[in-house]
């Protein structure tokens, strides 16, 4: 697919919508100057366009496959990976002492979105490494950090997350993989893990698995889970990949999409691992990794959506049908086609603004240690993830529709965006789990972080419709805080979407205000979103207030009418 | 996939929601007694469960393929087709003199939905024949009817529709296929047609192509289009399939789904055809076929949705995760999973009720000749098609989500429903075209048919929220009638969805009222739909009233931000 990296869009968001200047004003990120930011976005965007985008179809047409126990990746993925690692894009936000660039997460997220838009299945590999790098930086011993971080940051090795087991998906506490102390500082890991993204490859010197497992006599549930580094090849005393560990890829999944990314069933047979973090404290380290990954998956959805949107615009600008269109009869002039394209772009802007706002909050929390920024980041993470990935799927759906019959033909590429993006609403915690996280854990402050954000949005708005929507959201938040658990959970998904729409509308308004001149694309887009998309909230908030009362009236055994 | 035919659901809809009794009370359909209706639904349902449902995966895993110019269909499809044809399900509504059963379209639609739910890709074949049978009954010469109808009705032969050409999709008037008079009553047809569903097969004795083409010197656009019967094998004087015609399948498309249905590029090289209907009058006959097919495609969406829903309920009843669930911890007790399942079922009910109401209107128009019934049928057709297929896709999407990670694995079958159903929003007129039809052609009566339906719904409602929604829809209809073309078209899709939601809500209310006892699944489902899904209309109608003002602010060349 041709892909045009939205470099100027990120630049505009940073400068005018999400206050990236605050990040640049901190001591910690002072080196991320305007020039550096622009150079990084431009350079990464160029790589995405020139090197990664041409690989997108390869991954789909020639899926990663398992040959005699060895994973063979899609054609060109090795060169693509090399371009990513040599560009320094994996360790952008990692510490400089281990070879990273210590750049803001905001910037890493922007680059991640562009890489995902160009080739989602390959980009998932460095995304997993980024999460692992952050987990090791915060929780691993000096020894592990010394051995693994430089290799992960350079891309010489890559990382994976091993949480899921057949009986333990969203309920990670149900996992059974065992870890037994070898008495020499290492542990023997035994068990099976499923859905391991990029469980193996043929282009890195090692694959570093972070595996959740149970020590003997560990407490039940999530309080009895420990985290282990279990490398494919055990590092020798010089830190180089040495002999093979007792682990293997049993099989690869046959998936709806993302064929370029090998999704493995992994078998550990007394594999040697080293503990990361304290005994029974694995979930905390894993959450570090998952929170990073959740924002990362959110921008995957946005990236795939951007690719789908661009493909649809290109087709609509080229395809001629009927006489009601413009002078040259292209379908982009047809009202319903234009409606779809405007919805796609307006939704993408909203989702991207939320993710960028999330990045800024993470960076400010890192730079200042201010718990209010940390709370802001925590609040935004489930929205970035769920709204970003729902956006990607909705935009990809609309992209198929814009293509008409051609959208159903695989060669067009429109369908691949849907197939690839579809998993982003599922992995790293389904979007339902994200919504429960928002109305549960993220509201344990009594709604303080939510209200602070809404107040801030209100303070900058001059549009009555946006202000009214913010007011409705405040009331909905009050309702939610007072509601019992059943009502909260019944309304979780609609609350998340409504909140995201409000942030999106406020960001659209800011963008419109910052645009030069009395008319312009950003003003048009904001007007469209506020007039045509924000009103969705009326229905969402009605559904919220319906609570759980209407949810459980039908017995499970009667759910199929027959 | 296991599939449970919703026989009792149809029975209930007929008896208590859409007034099928009116149809049975006509002389024309007096033979469709309660016993006959029940026997037909039961018998068809059994075939769908036992014979067709096991073929669903076959079509996906072993797509139809082209071998040396011959289409080889998926394993078991020949037996499946035989069961359909021998059951008499193709010609259910065709005239008895040609071998049909002259049963109401309502009943045919119900059987079509069940066949589609069991195996969509195979069911598309008889659906095409049904449309062709209706077109021939209304427009073909006695000679053509004599030769073709009995064979199409028995299923010995099958039919296709040939409209689309590379440059002529939604704009069918742009087609270029030529027809030249052979001087012996036949014509020589030359041209290429694309996206021909079931363009060929290896289980019928003939394939009867209805082809749109232009006579020499025909006027431009749709007024210069004629319709021709172009059989794969030319019937001999006894009406048996004889020598091969000059036509061939050039290639089959590689599609997102519906792999069991061969989608052909057809080449006609002076193929022999016979005109159906008058010269330059082909569009009228084609519209007969398309209107039938549009309701047919609508119920395809509902059928696929029903299959996806059942698969999701089965999984949710079996999968255990976490402790917040019921006594046995199945995920069907989790609030957000239950929300998805309730939305799926409630939306399916609404869509099915609209399609059934459409069937009744068609039957009453046929039986009584009353133009008010014909107008009702015409009004409902684009809603049946667009809302039915959107429902199928939304339900299939949610079905994947209910499965979590397993939903992304093809073996589960959840993803196939989405891939298969996706095309239903595109073919037989995209859903955007349906919406334009609703706000354009179907409102040329000044909104009379729309208001008559809304009045009727209001007269039967006792729920303030439903009555308010009907009132809003009346006002929206008034607004639409007054609006200029640009505003109408800009609001077409949201108007169609809002109107469908209102009909759905009124039908839910009727179903709840008809249910025995103070509590029951239908009351729960109606309460859920009215409290949580109908409020969507507030946002839809706001978007409607925004008109076209916000739609065209960005120049086509600026649609990609860069």
């Amino acid at each position: 697919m041709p892909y045009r990296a939205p470099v100027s869009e990120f630049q505009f968001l940073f400068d005018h919508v999400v206050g990236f200047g605050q990040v640049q004003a901190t001591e910690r990120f002072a080196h991320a100057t305007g020039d550096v930011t622009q150079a990084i976005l431009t350079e990464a965007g160029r790589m995405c366009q020139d090197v990664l985008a041409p690989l997108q179809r390869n991954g789909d047409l020639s899926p990663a496959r398992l040959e005699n126990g060895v994973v063979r990746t899609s054609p060109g993925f090795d060169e693509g990976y090399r371009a990513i690692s040599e560009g320094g894009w994996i360790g952008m936000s990692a510490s400089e002492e281990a070879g990273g660039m210590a750049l803001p997460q905001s910037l890493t997220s922007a680059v991640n979105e562009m890489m995902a838009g160009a080739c989602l299945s390959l980009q998932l590999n460095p995304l997993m490494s980024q999460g692992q790098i952050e987990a090791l930086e915060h929780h691993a011993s000096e020894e592990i950090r010394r051995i693994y971080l430089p290799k992960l940051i350079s891309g010489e090795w890559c990382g994976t997350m091993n949480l899921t087991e057949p009986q333990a998906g969203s309920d990670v506490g149900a996992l059974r993989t065992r870890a037994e102390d070898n008495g020499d500082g290492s542990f023997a890991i035994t068990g099976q893990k499923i859905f391991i993204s990029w469980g193996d490859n043929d282009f890195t010197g090692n694959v570093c698995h972070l595996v959740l497992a149970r020590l003997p006599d560990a407490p039940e549930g999530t309080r009895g889970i420990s985290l282990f580094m279990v490398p494919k090849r055990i590092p020798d005393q010089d830190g180089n990949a040495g002999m093979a560990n007792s682990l293997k890829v049993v099989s690869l999944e046959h998936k709806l999409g993302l064929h370029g990314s090998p999704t493995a069933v992994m078998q550990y047979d007394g594999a040697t691992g080293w503990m990361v973090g304290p005994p029974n404290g694995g979930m905390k380290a894993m959450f570090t990794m998952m929170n990073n990954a959740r924002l990362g998956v959110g921008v995957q959805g946005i990236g795939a959506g951007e690719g789908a949107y661009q493909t649809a615009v290109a087709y609509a600008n080229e395809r001629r049908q009927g006489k009601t269109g413009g002078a040259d009869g292209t379908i982009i002039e047809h009202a319903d086609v234009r409606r779809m394209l405007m919805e796609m772009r307006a939704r993408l802007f909203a989702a991207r603004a939320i993710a960028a706002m999330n990045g800024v909050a993470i960076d400010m929390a890192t730079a200042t240690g201010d718990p209010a920024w940390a709370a802001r980041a925590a609040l935004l993470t489930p929205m970035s993830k769920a709204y970003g990935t729902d956006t990607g799927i909705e935009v990809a759906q609309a992209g198929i529709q814009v293509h008409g019959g051609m959208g159903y033909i695989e060669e067009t590429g429109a369908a691949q965006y849907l197939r690839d993006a579809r998993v982003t609403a599922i992995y790293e915690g389904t979007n339902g789990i994200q919504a429960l996280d928002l109305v549960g854990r993220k509201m344990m402050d009594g709604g303080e972080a939510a209200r602070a954000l809404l107040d801030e949005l209100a303070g900058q708005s001059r549009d009555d419709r946006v202000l009214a929507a913010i007011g409705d959201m405040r009331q909905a938040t009050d309702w939610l805080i007072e509601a019992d658990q059943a009502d909260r959970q019944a309304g979780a998904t609609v609350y998340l979407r409504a909140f995201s729409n409000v942030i999106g509308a406020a960001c659209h308004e800011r963008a419109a205000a910052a645009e030069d001149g009395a008319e312009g694309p950003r003003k048009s887009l904001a007007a469209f979103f506020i007039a045509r998309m924000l009103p969705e909230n009326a229905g969402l908030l009605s559904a919220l207030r319906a609570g759980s009362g209407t949810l459980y009236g039908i017995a499970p055994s009667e759910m199929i009418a027959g």
Side-chain angles (χ1 to χ4, degrees), chain A:
Chain A
M1 293 288 107
Y3 170 77
R4 196 162 138 194
V7 168
S8 62
E9 191 75 1
F10 283 115
Q11 197 72 61
F12 183 89
L13 268 178
F14 285 164
D15 293 346
H16 301 293
V17 180
V18 298
F20 184 65
Q22 298 168 91
V23 176
Q24 295 171 310
T26 64
E27 196 184 321
R28 169 91 180 219
F29 296 119
H31 58 298
T33 61
D35 287 350
V36 166
T37 298
Q38 191 177 14
I40 281 184
L41 290 173
T42 305
E43 189 59 36
R46 192 175 300 138
M47 174 198 64
C48 292
Q49 293 174 175
D50 297 347
V51 183
L52 301 189
L55 303 177
Q56 166 107 322
R57 287 289 287 158
N58 290 10
D60 200 51
L61 295 174
S62 306
R65 62 190 197 282
L66 189 62
E67 271 184 10
N68 303 320
V70 177
V71 168
R72 301 291 176 200
T73 58
S74 303
F77 272 38
D78 50 350
E79 290 91 340
Y81 181 82
R82 200 153 55 236
I84 295 170
S85 53
E86 288 177 358
W89 308 119
I90 302 172
M92 279 178 66
S93 291
S95 68
E96 285 172 301
E97 59 179 334
M101 292 195 269
L103 286 164
Q105 183 63 42
S106 317
L107 215 41
T108 296
S109 281
V111 172
N112 282 352
E113 192 217 285
M114 294 192 287
M115 293 195 292
C119 186
L120 189 66
S121 61
L122 176 56
Q123 183 265 344
L124 180 57
N125 181 310
L127 181 66
M128 295 292 98
S129 294
Q130 286 173 358
Q132 182 164 122
I133 289 165
E134 195 179 355
L136 295 184
E137 281 182 337
H138 285 91
H139 302 284
S141 67
E142 202 188 317
E143 173 80 354
I144 288 181
R145 283 186 279 136
R146 185 183 59 76
I147 295 172
Y148 289 90
L149 281 177
K151 295 239 172 16
L152 288 165
I153 289 167
S154 71
E156 194 176 333
W157 298 356
C158 71
T160 74
M161 295 170 68
N162 285 237
L163 289 79
T164 305
E165 299 178 12
Q167 79 293 346
S170 295
D171 182 17
V172 67
L175 67 84
R176 292 180 196 145
T177 295
R178 301 188 320 273
E180 287 178 46
D181 198 333
N182 288 330
D184 61 355
S186 74
F187 291 79
I189 312 295
T190 302
Q192 194 179 77
K193 294 287 181 177
I194 63 170
F195 297 155
I196 307 311
S197 295
W198 281 99
D200 198 11
N201 71 72
D202 52 6
F203 51 65
T204 63
N206 208 349
V207 181
C208 308
H209 302 288
L210 271 183
V211 181
L212 288 182
R214 291 189 177 285
L215 295 169
D217 308 321
E220 282 198 0
T222 52
R223 287 167 310 154
I225 293 176
S226 306
L227 183 64
F228 299 88
M229 167 60 77
V230 190
K232 176 182 173 183
R233 296 184 173 281
I234 298 173
D236 63 20
Q237 51 196 6
D238 301 323
N240 296 315
M243 69 175 204
N245 207 342
S246 303
L247 59 89
K248 65 178 178 200
V249 175
V250 176
S251 61
L252 300 183
E253 302 293 355
H254 176 219
K255 310 189 299 293
L256 172 61
L258 221 63
H259 296 159
S261 159
T263 303
V265 174
M266 300 291 305
Q267 183 70 42
Y268 297 89
D269 294 310
T272 305
W274 289 268
M275 199 182 291
V276 174
N280 301 327
M283 281 306 287
K284 199 180 165 194
M286 214 64 190
F287 265 118
T288 303
M289 190 161 169
M290 281 199 294
N291 268 328
N292 180 311
R294 283 175 174 185
L295 173 57
V297 171
V299 305
Q300 283 193 321
I302 302 166
E306 177 70 32
Y309 170 71
Q310 293 187 12
T311 304
V313 170
Y315 184 79
N317 261 319
E318 173 189 286
R319 172 75 172 166
R320 290 174 166 74
Q321 282 294 276
K323 291 166 290 287
T324 56
D328 57 355
T330 50
I331 63 169
I332 201 166
E333 298 295 347
H334 289 246
D336 201 60
V337 172
R338 187 67 75 98
R339 171 193 64 81
M340 288 190 274
L341 294 172
M342 288 292 284
E343 282 183 5
M344 293 160 81
R345 181 164 168 188
R347 184 82 72 197
L348 281 169
F349 176 87
R352 187 179 281 136
I354 291 168
M357 195 179 270
N358 198 347
V360 166
I362 291 170
D363 293 329
M364 292 306 291
T366 304
T368 67
D370 182 345
W373 278 116
R376 167 76 52 94
L379 179 77
L380 288 170
T381 297
M383 289 193 257
S384 296
K385 199 280 184 180
Y387 195 71
T389 58
D390 282 346
T391 293
I393 293 165
E394 286 173 30
V395 168
Q397 281 281 17
I400 291 175
Q401 198 68 19
V402 168
H403 282 79
M406 292 304 295
Y408 203 59
I409 308 299
E410 285 287 0
E411 282 76 2
T412 314
Q416 189 189 340
Y417 285 114
L418 174 63
R419 290 190 292 99
D420 285 357
R422 187 64 189 81
V423 74
T424 62
I426 297 170
Y427 63 23
E428 294 306 321
T430 65
N431 286 4
I433 294 285
Q434 303 300 322
L436 293 178
D437 178 48
L438 177 64
V439 303
R441 182 184 293 260
K442 302 304 166 61
M443 293 288 158
M444 281 165 61
D445 63 355
E448 191 183 324
R451 290 197 195 91
L453 176 55
L454 292 170
D455 288 347
E456 189 181 306
L457 298 177
Q460 297 182 21
S461 175
R462 288 189 174 75
D463 187 301
D464 288 342
R465 296 162 301 174
V466 176
L467 285 166
I470 295 169
D472 291 343
M473 207 62 222
R474 269 206 203 95
Q475 289 179 14
T477 302
D478 292 343
W479 182 92
L480 193 82
I481 295 297
E482 296 297 317
D484 65 21
Q485 198 193 11
D487 285 343
R488 272 195 198 203
Q489 293 188 347
T493 291
V494 289
Y495 180 82
L496 184 148
R497 188 171 176 97
F499 207 141
S500 304
N501 280 337
V502 164
I503 303 174
C507 289
H508 267 296
E509 188 192 346
R510 286 184 201 171
E515 187 177 46
D516 295 333
E519 288 182 5
R522 296 190 187 282
K523 288 184 177 65
S524 290
L525 204 66
F528 182 89
F529 188 90
I530 292 168
R532 291 190 59 124
M533 298 174 75
L534 181 59
E536 180 190 17
N537 277 19
L540 295 173
L541 296 181
S542 289
L544 173 71
R545 283 165 200 271
S548 61
T550 60
L551 212 54
Y552 292 102
I554 306 180
S557 61
E558 288 181 355
M559 285 294 282
I560 296 176

